[in-house]
Structure formats: C-alpha cells, structure tokens
C-alpha cells in the first residue's frame, strides 16, 4: 500500500563501523538542496513586478484597473498564508521533507496554470495555487534545516537559506529584464515556466534521498533511524547525546501536554507563540517589502525621472540583496540574536529617515542633482536588513518552540509574516499617495517599536540546542507543575529506557 510518509529503515551505510566523525559537508549539502524551496520563494517574490507593468501583458490580460492588477500580485500572499498554516499539519503528519515534496507538486500546478493563462481570472487562480506551495516551502524549509543543524551553526544554516532566497529574487529580476527584449508578446510565459525546473528537482529529491528530520523520527518512535540520521550529520558521539536529549524532551511533552493548536494559545506556551509571531510580524511591518515591491515608485518620488536609470537602480537592489546575504553566513553566529536584530533596526531606521528626507527634497527641488542620492538608501536598508532580520527572524522563530509544537509554532509565525507582507503590499500605495514621504516616517517609527520589542520582550537563544529551549523559556517547569508531574522523574525514566534501548541493539 502506498504510504506518503517515509517508512523505510535508515541504516548505516555498508562498511560503516565504529565511531563516525561529524560530516558538516553533508549538513551543508542538505541545506543547499532543500533551500531550493527558498529559491522558489525568492523567485516568485520578484518575478511578477515587471510582468504586470509590461504593455504586452496588459494588452492580452486587459485588467480593468490598477486594483485588478494589484490583486493578481497580492492574492498570491493569500495562498502563501494558507500554505504556511498547512505546515503545522503536514510537517507533523507526513514529515518535514515529504511536506516539501507536496509543496513542489502544488507549486508546479500553479506555475503551469500561470504560464498557460490568457485572462486575469486564470492567472489569479494560478497565483493563489502557486502561493500555497510557496507558503508551505517558506515554513517547511527553515523548520527542516533548523532541525538538522548543530546548535553552534544554526544561524549560519538559516543564513545560507536566506542567501539562496536572495539569489532567487536576483535571478527573477534579470531574467525578466532580459526576456522583455524578445519581440514576442508572450515573453512573460518563459520566466513563469522556468521556475518549474527547480520545483521538480526539489520535489523528487525530498521524496528520494533527503532524510527525514531526526526530531520527527523520534516523534514517530523510530529511535534507531533518528540516531542514524544524526550520526551521518553530527557524528557518533554527538548523535548519542542528541538522540537521548530529543527522546527525553519528547517523552516529557507527551506526558504533560497534548500538543494541540489550543496549547499554542495557553500559558506557558503562549509566550513563545507571541514571540515567534511577533518577530516575523516586525520583519515585514518595518517596511522591507514596501521597498522591494515599489522601488521604482520610491525612486520616481525621489526625483529620478529617467526610466533607464530607475530600472538599473532597481536591479541594483537585487544585487545588493544577494551580495550582502553572504555576510551573515560568516558572522551571524558570532553575536547574539538580539544584538544583530537591534543593530539592524538602527540601520534600517536611518535608511527610512534618509528616504524621507530625500523625497521631501525632491518634492521641493525636483531638478536638483542631489536627488540621485536617494539610490543609496534602499541599498543601505537591505545591507542592515540582510545581516539582521533577514536571517534573525527566521532563525529565532524556528528554534524557540518545544519539539511537540515546533511545526505548529513555525506555521503560526510564518503565517504572521505573510499577514504582514500582505498588509504592507496593500496599504503602502494608498498611504504613499495620501501622505507621500510620510509613509517612510511610519516605517521608521515601526523600527523604533520593534527595537523595544527585541530589547525587552525577546530572550537570547544563541548557542542553545533545540531541546534546551523549553527550559530556557520556563515551559518545562510550568507544564510539569500544572500536570503534577515530576520533571526529574520523567528524565530519569527516559534515561533508563534509553539505556535498555542501547543494550538491545
């Protein structure tokens, strides 16, 4: 009978005996491959902007007005929202890697509908379906890679995913830019169809050779398989310790909680739910996608009236995003999560103030050569965003939840991100039209609010294993007290059972 879950035994490779060393190359390889989901995420963030502005696309689709065009772009976020919520269900039931295979199939269906469409309703349906796949990837990829990464390099691993996401945005812009020079009216179908290739690779790979998350395997009571996956990743010595820690945490959670959606909104778990959702909310509401989606408008209001200059400057945003995304790979784990987020907010706020001042200047001095200075400030924003919130919010939101509710917590935090993304995409144009440069004062103010949130609400998590998070946030003790369970007794019982398991091997 066909089983959607990975159920085959995971055994040591032929000839493997004795103690095996850590294999960081394998960790990086899996991270890079699974991050194809982030590539799809980034690619679709950037692919539609130039397409819906093209006169040939408009002539074919004939959108009634700008609101219809905006709906074609933004209803994708609704699909992403639903896909992100599905992570909590699918990742626990069928596994992290198999849920990414499902996401790939849905993504391919949406991409085919988009590329073959001849009217607005059809391409909109394709956008929503594809958005579901992207939303599932956006939550599933960081969930999986955070669970295979050693604690000391978890930030670096998430940073690699972020770099691949930025690569997707860069590829989308320059492919679009190149294909616009084709004489055919259907040039836009090519970039929409090209994304099917990485989706197929991701779907097949996650179904065949990407191993399940060791945390999910423990939750499935497949202890031997979990230990083998951890041995391949972190070496025999670390695998013994980690498997025992994961099993102990899982057994404790199984006794004291049902790991339901209702638990996410009850103390003591409510605190980490609000922190996870809050950090992802602030990642969006501080204005990142307002700049990304509407960069040409930002430059136009800043006094850059030459379309060629504006397009090149917009393309430069993608280059800056990609180049600076390499920085946190090498430095993010050297400082605390809170430290990086606060550094980023200071720089992002300064960039928003700079955009405000220069748009005001262009409004009063439209022909001044000094208006071109505005080009530097979106670049400055993304330099600080990439070294901080681009990596930090995803890292923090995936690592703070206890094992039994990690998929649900990641679903809620990713859903919060997509909600913020949708709101920013919808309200930025009308607010910008109403108050002009005042829009960026609002975003600067949101950076200040986010700074207070980071400084006083968040708990530092750098260097902690995923199994230590429950104790760090006081969840373990409060759940034990509420359930009348002795946490030390559960731990001792787990140690005895683990020892019996070892003796039986």
């Amino acid at each position: 009978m066909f089983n959607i879950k990975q159920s085959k035994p995971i055994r040591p490779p032929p000839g493997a005996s004795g103690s095996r060393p850590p294999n960081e190359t394998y960790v990086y390889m899996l991270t890079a491959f699974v991050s194809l989901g982030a590539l799809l995420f980034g690619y679709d963030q950037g692919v539609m902007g130039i397409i819906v502005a093209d006169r040939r696309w408009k002539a074919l689709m004939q959108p009634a007005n700008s609101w219809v065009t905006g709906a074609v772009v933004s209803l994708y976020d609704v699909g992403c929202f639903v896909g992100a919520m599905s992570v909590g269900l699918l990742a626990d039931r069928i596994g992290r890697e198999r849920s990414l295979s499902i996401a790939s199939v849905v993504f391919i269906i949406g991409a085919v509908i988009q590329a073959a469409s001849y009217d607005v309703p059809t391409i909109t349906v394709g956008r929503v379906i594809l958005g579901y796949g992207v939303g599932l990837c956006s939550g599933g990829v960081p969930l999986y890679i955070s669970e295979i990464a050693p604690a000391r390099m978890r930030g670096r691993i998430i940073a690699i995913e972020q770099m691949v996401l930025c690569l997707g945005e860069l590829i989308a812009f320059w492919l679009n830019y190149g294909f616009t020079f084709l004489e055919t009216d259907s040039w836009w179908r090519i970039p929409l169809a090209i994304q099917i290739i990485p989706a197929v690779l991701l779907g097949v790979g996650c179904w065949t050779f990407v191993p399940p998350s060791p945390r999910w395997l423990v939750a499935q009571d497949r202890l031997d398989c979990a230990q083998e996956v951890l041995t391949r990743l972190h070496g025999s010595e670390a695998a013994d310790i980690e498997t025992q820690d994961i099993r102990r945490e899982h057994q404790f959670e199984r006794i004291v909680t049902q790991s339901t959606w209702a638990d996410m909104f009850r103390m003591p778990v409510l605190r980490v739910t609000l922190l996870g959702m809050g950090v992802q909310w602030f990642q969006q509401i501080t204005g990142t996608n307002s700049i990304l989606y509407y960069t040409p408008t930002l430059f136009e209001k800043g006094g850059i009236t030459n379309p060629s200059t504006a397009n090149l400057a917009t393309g430069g945003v993608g280059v800056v995003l990609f180049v600076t995304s390499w920085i946190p790979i090498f430095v993010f784990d050297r400082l605390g999560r809170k430290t990086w987020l606060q550094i980023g907010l200071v720089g992002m706020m300064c960039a928003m103030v700079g955009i405000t001042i220069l748009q005001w200047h262009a409004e009063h001095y439209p022909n001044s050569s000094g208006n071109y200075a505005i080009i530097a400030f979106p670049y400055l924003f993304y330099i600080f965003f990439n070294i901080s919130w681009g990596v930090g919010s995803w890292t923090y939101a995936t690592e703070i939840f206890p094992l039994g509710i990690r998929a649900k917590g990641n679903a809620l935090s990713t859903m919060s991100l997509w909600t913020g993304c949708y709101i920013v995409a919808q309200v930025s144009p009308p607010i910008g039209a109403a108050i002009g440069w005042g829009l960026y004062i609002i975003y600067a103010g949101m950076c200040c609010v986010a700074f207070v949130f980071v400084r006083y609400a968040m708990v530092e998590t750098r260097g902690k294993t995923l199994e230590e998070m429950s104790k760090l946030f006081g969840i373990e003790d409060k759940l034990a007290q509420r359930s009348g369970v002795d946490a030390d007794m559960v731990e001792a019982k787990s140690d005895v059972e683990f020892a019996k398991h070892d003796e039986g091997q």
Side-chain angles (χ1 to χ4, degrees):
M1 182 178 177
F2 179 75
N3 187 3
I4 200 169
K5 294 196 290 188
Q6 197 279 0
S7 56
K8 294 181 180 178
I10 303 173
R11 300 189 176 95
S17 60
S19 179
R20 282 181 276 170
N23 190 349
E24 289 188 359
T25 301
Y26 187 48
V27 176
Y28 288 132
M29 185 195 77
L30 285 176
T31 299
F33 182 80
V34 173
S35 292
L36 282 173
L39 183 81
L40 298 175
F41 179 5
Y43 189 93
D44 245 282
Q45 286 285 93
V47 76
M48 286 301 293
I50 291 180
I51 290 175
V52 297
D54 185 76
R55 58 174 178 78
R56 290 167 287 182
W57 183 86
K58 290 179 179 179
L60 174 64
M61 295 295 177
Q62 296 183 349
N65 50 50
S66 59
W67 286 100
V68 174
T69 303
V72 172
V73 177
S74 62
L75 284 176
Y76 155 84
D77 291 337
V78 175
C80 292
F81 178 95
V82 178
M85 284 301 297
S86 300
V87 173
L89 177 67
L90 291 176
D92 279 341
R93 288 196 177 182
I94 67 174
R96 287 37 167 158
E97 85 294 352
R98 288 293 168 91
S99 65
L100 291 176
S101 287
I102 300 300
S104 300
V105 172
V106 176
F107 185 97
I108 291 167
I109 293 171
V112 169
I113 293 173
Q114 276 192 135
S117 61
Y118 279 88
D119 55 46
V120 166
T122 305
I123 197 169
T124 303
V125 169
R127 290 285 292 167
V128 174
I129 294 173
L130 180 141
Y132 178 91
V134 171
L136 197 49
C137 282
S138 69
V141 172
L143 176 64
Y144 178 82
I145 63 178
S146 70
E147 292 189 349
I148 67 169
R152 60 183 173 79
M153 54 188 290
R154 196 160 53 241
R156 173 179 292 187
I157 291 301
I158 300 293
I160 291 173
E161 182 212 359
Q162 182 70 13
M163 179 271 292
V164 176
L165 187 153
C166 292
L167 175 62
E169 292 175 342
L170 181 66
I171 291 172
F173 176 83
W174 290 108
L175 274 183
N176 267 342
Y177 185 77
F179 283 125
T180 56
F181 290 101
L182 294 178
E183 295 182 2
T184 174
D185 290 344
S186 296
W187 68 268
W188 52 272
R189 300 185 191 277
I190 303 174
L192 291 181
I194 282 176
Q195 58 192 325
I196 294 173
I197 298 173
V200 170
L201 293 174
L202 178 66
V204 172
C206 286
W207 195 271
T208 55
F209 69 81
V210 172
S213 159
R215 271 82 183 177
W216 181 80
L217 287 168
V218 170
Q220 299 291 308
D221 292 321
R222 296 171 62 186
L223 200 62
D224 293 338
C225 294
Q227 186 156 0
E228 172 57 26
V229 172
L230 285 169
T231 300
R232 295 179 185 182
L233 294 165
H234 306 161
S236 302
E237 184 178 341
D240 291 339
I241 299 171
E242 289 181 73
T243 307
Q244 188 169 354
D245 288 344
I246 298 168
R247 178 184 173 88
R248 183 186 299 122
E249 178 74 12
H250 174 64
Q251 184 165 343
F252 176 79
E253 290 179 15
R254 189 160 50 184
I255 293 172
V256 301
T257 182
Q258 297 299 311
S259 298
T260 64
W261 284 102
D263 287 327
M264 305 301 300
F265 301 99
R266 288 200 296 252
M267 291 298 292
V269 177
L270 177 61
R271 181 188 180 191
V272 293
T273 300
L274 293 177
L275 286 175
M277 294 180 70
V279 74
Q280 291 287 55
W281 169 262
F282 279 116
Q283 195 230 61
Q284 287 297 310
I285 212 70
T286 46
T288 176
N289 276 332
S290 178
I291 294 179
L292 186 65
Y293 290 165
Y294 304 113
T295 305
T297 303
L298 182 157
F299 288 145
E300 181 183 349
K301 290 184 177 180
I304 301 178
T305 55
N306 186 308
S308 178
T309 303
N311 281 339
L312 287 175
T314 302
V317 171
V319 174
V320 170
L321 271 170
F322 177 66
V323 171
T324 57
S325 68
W326 285 85
I327 298 173
I329 294 175
F330 302 102
V331 303
F332 188 78
D333 282 320
R334 296 185 182 183
L335 298 177
R337 312 314 196 211
K338 292 178 63 174
T339 302
W340 279 119
L341 293 177
Q342 290 174 88
I343 291 172
L345 285 167
V346 172
M348 290 155 60
M349 182 186 67
C350 290
M352 289 298 188
V353 171
I355 292 171
T356 301
I357 293 171
L358 284 163
Q359 284 199 351
W360 175 89
H361 182 270
E363 186 178 297
H364 291 81
Y365 307 98
N367 298 316
S368 172
S369 60
N371 291 336
Y372 283 86
I374 198 172
I375 294 174
F377 287 95
Y379 296 176
L380 179 67
F381 179 93
Y382 280 117
I383 289 171
F384 280 95
F385 177 84
N386 260 2
I387 66 173
S388 57
W389 285 81
V391 175
S393 68
W394 288 103
T395 304
Y396 197 82
T398 56
E399 68 187 1
I400 61 175
F401 293 98
L403 173 63
I405 55 173
R406 185 167 297 128
K408 293 181 178 66
N410 199 53
L412 288 170
S413 59
T414 308
M415 174 211 70
S416 177
L417 178 139
W418 283 112
T419 303
C421 182
Y422 180 79
I423 291 172
V424 166
Q426 288 297 301
V427 306
S428 290
I431 292 178
I435 62 176
W437 46 264
L439 171 66
Y440 298 96
I441 286 292
I442 294 175
Y443 286 132
M446 292 308 302
C447 288
C448 294
V449 176
F451 190 93
V452 174
F453 170 80
V454 172
R455 190 170 186 86
Y456 296 106
M458 291 176 61
V459 176
E460 183 54 58
T461 56
R462 173 179 173 245
K464 302 293 184 180
T465 68
L466 296 179
E467 285 61 51
E468 290 176 315
M469 296 298 173
S470 188
K471 287 185 178 180
L472 180 67
F473 287 93
I475 295 174
E476 186 172 293
D477 292 339
K478 290 178 182 177
L479 285 177
Q481 185 178 11
R482 189 176 72 186
S483 304
V485 173
D486 188 335
D488 293 333
M489 183 182 69
V490 173
E491 183 172 332
K493 182 180 178 181
S494 179
D495 291 343
V496 170
E497 291 183 3
F498 193 82
K500 289 180 179 178
H501 168 267
D502 280 349
E503 290 173 3
Q505 284 185 315

